[in-house]
Amino acid sequence: MEKREFIIEKSPQKEWGWLIILALFFTGSGAGAVFFALILGSVTRMLMGVILVFVGALFLLADLSRPLSGWRVILRPQSSWVSRGALGILIFFVLSILHIVSLFLHQGGWTSLSDAPWTTGPAWLIILGVFAGTTALFVAAYPGFLLGSMRAIPFWHSAIFPVLFMISGLLCGLGEIYLMPLPWEKQTWGMALVKNLSVGLVILGFILLLSLILTVRPETTRESVKLLTKGLLRAQFIAGVICGGVIGPLIILVLVFGGVVGTSLLPIAGILLTFGMLLFRYSMLRAGIYTTPV
Amino acid sequence: MRWGMVVDLKLCVGCNSCVIACKAGRGTPQGTFWNKVLEQEVGTFPEARRIFWPVRCMHCEEPACLEVCPTGATSQREDGIVMVDAKKCVGCKACILACPYEARTLWKEKTGYFGESFTPYEVVAYSDHRLGTVQKCDFCVERLDQGLKPYCVETCLTGALIFGDLDDPNSEVYLSLKQGRISFKLKEELGTKPSINYIG
């Protein structure tokens, strides 16, 4: 039977696909990496984070139909979250690169100080670090605001999304720390703080994900949640995000920090966190279902 | 002055002539429809029936597309018509995701209705459009400026589409809203304040 074209039905969005998913993943990961690099006072990790955000920005540009006119997206920050996000990324680049250069000169090399620079460094370096950290948090969180501004997709209209994206970005940053341990960071004060933050952040991510799917909301939103928990996206969301991206790393972190198993398992937690947060972005974008026009 | 439309659902028979008139008159690219007639099946046998919903850009007073546009490509004229400036559009697709009426389309591929090469009609018609930019109904703004009505309104066989100035108490569109029948707007709860009213 021939498909009838103009039937009223709920359809998932197809406008934002893999390029945007990868863009949000790389910008979020990079921002998370920079945030933790600031805690660790690590020039190497900051540089890695900035490169990741740059790769994400390239994916954002590649998704535009007219990438050569991409500069235009910064013109409407007064109302558009696309503009605000693009401007946020630009300011992030400027502040982060300034901080990297300053930190490099202050430390006299790539290795971290035994104490984070914000406890021992000069005031201007601390202020620069605070601003760079704030923009990193903004870059991690803004996709949540961006999705929330799309009135046609009720599932994305949730106050939880900016927090969830920010936590997800930070979890990616954690994943990179555990995935690529740097020998000179092992015993630093900052690393001890990161370890203490890890378990709390993963638990917070778990609670937020649960509240996202358990909150009772309008019909179209319930369709999206059904898609995530019982529909086509259940493998990616339940197995990939909840089990693989949150519960798995949580178990490993608790076992490692409790001294039950060795630290050799930490890179596995890193891989799980990183891959889980990629799948988180995939699931959230794919679960966006349009409200019917009628 | 505010241009607007009233759609009489009792008069629409789902003939799609407005869709074809728009395609022919505005020469929209393959797969792009600036207006559509959506079909809805309601009730169960023996009371089952179909309702036809002519939909297009609602030219909202508070357009969701306008606030998300990052380049200023989407703008609103003083008479309420929401326009897209193809020269400013970069194809970010945010407006497509924001519009609750699914009224916007991105022209992605330069193919014709009869294969990759264009017919002479398509060569002329498609030259008015810009590949990689978002498109939508503009109430045939050039015709309005000449004192004519949009193609869809002029073509409607049953008079289901009534067009005019919503602020003019003598206009047909204004009077049709005051005749006592129930009128409503689509997705009013979203606060977009559409300029297209439906009477059923």
Side-chain angles (χ1 to χ4, degrees):
Chain A
M1 190 177 162
E2 198 181 331
K3 188 181 181 296
R4 288 151 76 196
E5 231 174 306
F6 300 148
I7 296 294
I8 297 170
E9 59 184 359
K10 293 187 181 77
S11 54
Q13 70 84 18
K14 290 180 182 140
E15 275 66 36
W16 282 353
W18 268 110
L19 287 173
I20 291 289
I21 292 165
L22 289 173
L24 299 187
F25 171 68
F26 280 108
T27 51
S29 302
V34 166
F35 184 80
F36 284 112
L38 284 164
I39 292 178
L40 294 168
S42 170
V43 181
T44 319
R45 289 197 186 282
M46 269 199 98
L47 196 61
M48 276 164 40
V50 171
I51 291 169
L52 284 173
V53 176
F54 181 72
V55 172
L58 289 182
F59 276 114
L60 281 175
L61 267 181
D63 187 65
L64 300 178
S65 304
R66 299 190 159 265
L68 293 178
S69 306
W71 60 270
R72 283 187 177 276
V73 300
I74 60 169
L75 296 178
R76 293 276 310 278
Q78 64 272 31
S79 68
S80 165
W81 273 102
V82 178
S83 281
R84 289 170 192 165
L87 274 173
I89 290 173
L90 280 179
I91 296 168
F92 165 84
F93 278 134
V94 172
L95 292 176
S96 301
I97 290 167
L98 266 178
H99 196 260
I100 287 171
V101 173
S102 312
L103 201 57
F104 185 83
L105 295 175
H106 178 66
Q107 289 186 170
W110 293 101
T111 53
S112 310
L113 298 169
S114 57
D115 287 308
W118 44 274
T119 58
T120 58
W124 61 268
L125 191 59
I126 296 168
I127 293 168
L128 195 57
V130 168
F131 281 118
T134 310
T135 52
L137 287 179
F138 174 79
V139 170
Y142 99 87
F145 292 108
L146 173 67
L147 298 187
S149 67
M150 304 304 165
R151 287 196 225 181
I153 299 178
F155 176 59
W156 291 349
H157 250 307
S158 166
I160 238 173
F161 267 96
V163 189
L164 202 46
F165 269 91
M166 192 174 76
I167 299 294
S168 163
L170 293 177
L171 290 178
C172 287
L174 270 183
E176 281 140 28
I177 288 177
Y178 294 130
L179 198 56
M180 288 173 277
L182 300 176
W184 60 83
E185 282 175 358
K186 273 187 181 167
Q187 302 304 324
T188 59
W189 189 89
M191 190 52 97
L193 179 64
V194 168
K195 279 181 182 170
N196 289 335
L197 278 174
S198 301
V199 176
L201 272 177
V202 179
I203 292 173
L204 186 58
F206 181 62
I207 293 169
L208 288 172
L209 282 170
L210 280 188
S211 59
L212 181 75
I213 54 174
L214 294 178
T215 316
V216 180
R217 287 194 253 132
E219 198 197 336
T220 315
T221 307
R222 284 204 298 273
E223 290 283 329
S224 293
V225 171
K226 211 165 123 187
L227 204 61
L228 288 171
T229 53
K230 293 173 189 163
L232 286 172
L233 295 169
R234 68 183 186 279
Q236 292 91 328
F237 186 71
I238 301 291
V241 183
I242 302 265
C243 297
V246 182
I247 296 175
L250 183 63
I251 292 170
I252 293 174
L253 291 177
V254 169
L255 291 178
V256 170
F257 298 150
V260 181
V261 292
T263 52
S264 56
L265 280 183
L266 282 178
I268 296 173
I271 292 172
L272 287 174
L273 276 171
T274 309
F275 194 62
M277 293 308 114
L278 171 64
L279 284 177
F280 162 73
R281 282 157 178 79
Y282 174 85
S283 310
M284 292 306 111
L285 261 77
R286 291 283 189 233
I289 296 178
Y290 285 112
T291 174
T292 54
V294 171
Chain B
M1 177 182 213
R2 183 158 178 242
W3 291 118
M5 193 182 273
V6 169
V7 179
D8 191 332
L9 293 173
K10 280 195 176 157
L11 291 180
C12 181
V13 292
C15 69
N16 279 292
S17 60
C18 53
V19 179
I20 301 303
C22 175
K23 278 214 78 75
R26 303 305 305 271
T28 53
Q30 193 225 356
T32 299
F33 295 89
W34 286 5
N35 65 353
K36 298 172 224 175
V37 180
L38 300 175
E39 288 179 42
Q40 186 183 29
E41 289 170 11
V42 290
T44 50
F45 180 81
E47 267 93 39
R49 64 191 175 98
R50 281 195 296 173
I51 302 176
F52 299 104
W53 297 87
V55 291
R56 56 190 48 70
C57 172
M58 299 284 155
H59 297 278
C60 307
E61 250 184 279
E62 304 285 344
C65 53
L66 182 67
E67 65 183 33
V68 300
C69 177
T71 65
T74 298
S75 60
Q76 192 166 30
R77 301 196 339 167
E78 280 193 5
D79 56 12
I81 297 179
V82 178
M83 303 286 291
V84 178
D85 184 343
K87 285 180 189 151
K88 290 182 183 171
C89 179
V90 294
C92 72
K93 294 159 278 190
C95 56
I96 300 176
L97 290 159
C99 174
Y101 309 101
E102 297 181 30
R104 290 174 166 244
T105 319
L106 181 78
W107 185 21
K108 289 180 204 161
E109 275 181 277
K110 208 166 188 172
T111 49
Y113 272 94
F114 304 96
E116 283 190 14
S117 56
F118 290 165
T119 61
Y121 166 76
E122 285 172 330
V123 170
V124 177
Y126 291 5
S127 64
D128 288 344
H129 307 283
R130 200 165 188 225
L131 189 69
T133 60
V134 169
Q135 310 207 337
K136 66 165 203 75
C137 158
D138 59 6
F139 271 163
C140 295
V141 71
E142 285 175 16
R143 288 174 60 84
L144 292 184
D145 292 343
Q146 293 166 27
L148 301 167
K149 285 183 178 174
Y151 283 113
C152 55
V153 177
E154 206 158 81
T155 309
C156 183
L157 305 174
T158 59
L161 303 178
I162 306 155
F163 184 83
D165 179 4
L166 290 168
D167 290 339
D168 177 4
N170 299 314
S171 68
E172 193 186 355
V173 71
Y174 185 93
L175 293 171
S176 64
L177 286 171
K178 301 289 169 193
Q179 63 184 1
R181 287 169 66 188
I182 294 169
S183 72
F184 60 94
K185 299 175 183 206
L186 299 181
K187 298 281 164 196
E188 262 183 297
E189 69 277 13
L190 296 177
T192 49
K193 299 181 188 167
S195 294
I196 297 185
N197 300 269
Y198 289 79
I199 49 177

